[in-house]
């Protein structure tokens, strides 16, 4: 894998830390700014909404610029809004910075996914995606728990300052190491400057049924992940009965699992994606149900958080890779995948917040996660069955026609 891929992963690490760190900071933010925990949880949804809107829009805008310039601009904007977030005393302003930061994050990730895929051979997109998303999993392992520790010691604002500081070396690294080819073009194995389809032609790629199905499944699986992850802190303290000091530990376990999941998914996603998705989805569904039933047991929660982190990111990263394979849009492929997964990122915390506000308790997001994965499993299973049936019918028709021609 090209070294520049790992530098992109460094930037994704800073952005992933920002996106996920609120899981350990929600109670402190709610208390400091005088809002409810579900309201503070909407900061995660706001970030996801900004990612949904920003991914295809920013990807289109970036077509006019070199990849290096687009990535640098998005990352600098991301850094600046975190400085504002660290300084504000207004929940409304903080909410606005989350949306603005998400727009910058969306543009960066959309261009970075396409850049990563273009740096490798056409049949290695899964591995390239896993390297890039490794930044997200390292954020879960180290960045998010560290943010929770900073929040405990110096307050939640210190975590925002830390993200801004983390972005500085990433900006410098991208300016020096990322190829300067146009963001909207990619040739074979990433040859910069090769001609690509028009923006309208790329938008038409959305009509592909395989791509639409992949994006839908990705949104549902990611929604399940974010639904529980956003409310892990109150789950651990209020349901499992562990002290607040255990929150960084639980977040780190989820991150370790996600790191393992992305690594394994990247090795399998290019060669055997269907078995991984089928088996992984069924195991993920079982895990969410078990976690909901056993949420009062500290040992069970600690084990299942690790397992669910691995399964969630193995399935999720594989779906991202499949979206890149399915899309014939060199610029918008990353935008489509980013937007769909953040539809889930917005839907999951919102549904979890609704369940909590309805008085169902902090265990309820686990059941919501199970329902979302159940829906994805059912839709994927039906689609796979119809696809295989259609394939058999096509073969039968071809054989019949062949027989008819030979008898004539």
């Amino acid at each position: 894998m090209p070294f520049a891929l790992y530098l992109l992963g460094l930037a994704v690490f800073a952005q992933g830390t920002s996106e996920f760190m609120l899981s350990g900071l929600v109670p402190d933010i709610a208390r400091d700014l005088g809002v409810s925990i579900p309201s503070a949880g909407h900061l995660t949804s706001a970030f996801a909404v900004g990612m949904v809107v920003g991914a295809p829009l920013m990807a289109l805008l970036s077509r006019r610029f070199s990849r290096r310039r687009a990535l640098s601009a998005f990352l600098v904007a991301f850094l600046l809004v975190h400085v504002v977030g660290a300084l504000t005393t207004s929940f409304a302003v903080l909410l606005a910075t989350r949306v603005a930061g998400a727009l910058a994050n969306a543009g960066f990730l959309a261009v970075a996914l396409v850049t990563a895929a273009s740096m490798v051979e056409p049949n290695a997109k899964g591995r390239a995606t896993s390297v890039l998303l490794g930044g997200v999993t390292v954020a879960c392992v180290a960045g998010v728990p560290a943010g929770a520790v900073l929040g405990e010691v110096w307050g939640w604002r210190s975590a925002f300052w830390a993200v801004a500081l983390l972005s500085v070396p990433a900006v410098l690294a991208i300016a020096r190491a990322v190829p300067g080819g146009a963001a909207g073009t990619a040739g074979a194995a990433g040859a910069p400057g090769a001609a690509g389809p028009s923006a309208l032609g790329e938008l038409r790629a959305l009509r592909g049924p395989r791509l639409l199905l992949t994006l839908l499944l990705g949104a549902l699986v990611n929604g399940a992940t974010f639904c529980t992850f956003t409310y892990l802190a109150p789950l651990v303290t209020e349901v499992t009965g562990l002290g607040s000091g255990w929150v960084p530990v639980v977040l780190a376990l989820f991150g370790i699992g996600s790191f393992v999941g992305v690594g394994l998914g990247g090795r399998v996603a290019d060669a055997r994606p269907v078995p991984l998705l089928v088996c992984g989805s069924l195991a993920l569904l079982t895990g969410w149900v078990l976690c909901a039933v056993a949420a009062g047991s500290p040992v069970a929660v600690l084990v299942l958080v690790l397992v669910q982190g691995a399964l969630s990111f193995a399935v999720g990263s594989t779906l991202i890779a499949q979206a890149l394979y399915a899309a014939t849009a060199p610029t918008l492929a990353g935008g489509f995948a980013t937007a769909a997964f953040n539809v889930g990122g917005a839907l999951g915390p919102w549904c979890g917040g609704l369940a909590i506000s309805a008085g169902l308790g902090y265990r309820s997001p686990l059941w919501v996660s199970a329902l979302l994965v159940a829906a994805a499993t059912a839709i994927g299973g039906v689609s796979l069955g119809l696809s295989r049936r259609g394939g058999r019918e096509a073969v039968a028709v071809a054989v019949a026609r062949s027989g008819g021609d030979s008898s004539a």
Side-chain angles (χ1 to χ4, degrees):
M1 293 288 108
F3 181 67
L5 274 181
Y6 297 95
L7 297 177
L8 290 175
L10 172 64
V12 173
F13 165 69
Q15 295 171 345
T17 298
S18 173
E19 185 170 5
F20 297 138
M21 70 183 180
L22 293 188
S23 299
L25 303 176
V26 162
D28 290 340
I29 292 175
R31 184 166 49 252
D32 185 36
L33 300 182
V35 297
S36 67
I37 285 181
S39 294
H42 291 161
L43 291 169
T44 300
S45 295
F47 196 97
V49 169
M51 292 283 282
V52 170
V53 175
L57 178 61
M58 296 297 108
L60 280 173
L61 292 176
S62 70
R63 286 172 59 90
R64 300 184 179 184
F65 307 104
S66 71
R67 289 174 183 163
R68 184 190 303 126
R69 185 177 177 185
L71 291 169
S72 298
F74 288 136
L75 192 54
V76 168
F78 179 83
L79 186 159
L80 293 176
V81 297
H82 278 76
V83 172
V84 175
L87 294 172
T88 188
T89 58
S90 166
F91 180 76
V93 173
L94 182 60
L95 192 66
T97 66
R98 296 304 287 171
V99 175
L103 291 173
N105 189 176
F108 182 93
L109 189 56
V111 176
L113 281 170
V114 178
T115 302
S118 70
M119 288 179 178
V120 298
E121 295 300 320
N123 63 348
K125 292 180 181 179
R127 288 190 62 197
T129 300
S130 70
V131 170
L132 190 64
L133 295 182
V136 178
T137 63
V138 173
C140 292
V141 174
V144 175
V149 171
L150 287 174
E152 283 280 324
V153 178
W154 289 304
W156 62 269
R157 298 176 193 279
S158 62
F160 280 72
W161 283 115
V163 168
L165 291 174
L166 277 173
S167 300
V168 173
V171 171
L172 299 176
I174 287 170
R176 290 179 61 87
V178 171
T185 58
S198 66
L200 182 59
E202 293 200 30
L203 287 171
R204 288 173 180 159
L206 266 178
R207 294 183 296 183
R210 178 187 169 194
L211 175 61
L212 290 174
L213 175 65
T214 304
L215 297 179
L216 174 60
L217 297 181
L220 290 171
V221 170
N222 202 46
T225 303
F226 268 84
C227 180
T228 293
F229 193 74
T230 299
Y231 300 104
L232 264 182
L235 174 74
V236 167
T237 56
E238 301 297 330
V239 178
T240 309
L242 296 172
S244 60
W246 278 91
V247 171
V249 176
V250 174
L251 294 175
L253 285 173
F254 188 92
I256 292 170
S258 67
F259 184 79
V260 173
V262 164
L264 293 176
R267 294 178 180 277
V268 180
D270 294 314
R272 299 177 61 102
V274 173
L276 187 152
L277 291 174
V278 172
C279 297
S281 296
L282 291 173
L284 189 59
L285 171 59
T286 303
W288 286 131
V289 172
L290 289 175
C291 199
V293 172
S297 168
V299 174
V301 167
L302 292 176
V303 172
L304 287 169
V305 161
L306 177 68
V307 172
Q308 292 302 95
L311 291 172
S312 294
F313 276 79
V315 174
S317 64
T318 301
L319 287 169
I320 290 179
Q322 289 304 300
L324 295 177
Y325 278 119
T328 57
T331 306
L332 291 184
F336 294 159
T338 301
F341 274 73
N342 283 278
V343 166
L347 177 67
W350 180 71
C351 291
L354 284 180
I356 293 172
S357 298
L360 300 178
Y362 292 117
R363 193 191 299 253
S364 58
L366 293 165
W367 288 112
V368 175
S369 293
L371 289 174
L372 291 172
V373 174
T377 303
I379 293 171
V382 170
S383 175
L384 183 61
L386 291 176
S387 175
R388 288 178 174 176
R389 178 180 176 184
R392 288 195 297 269
E393 290 177 350
V395 170
V397 170
V399 170
R401 288 177 176 174
S402 175
D405 292 339
S406 63
S407 63

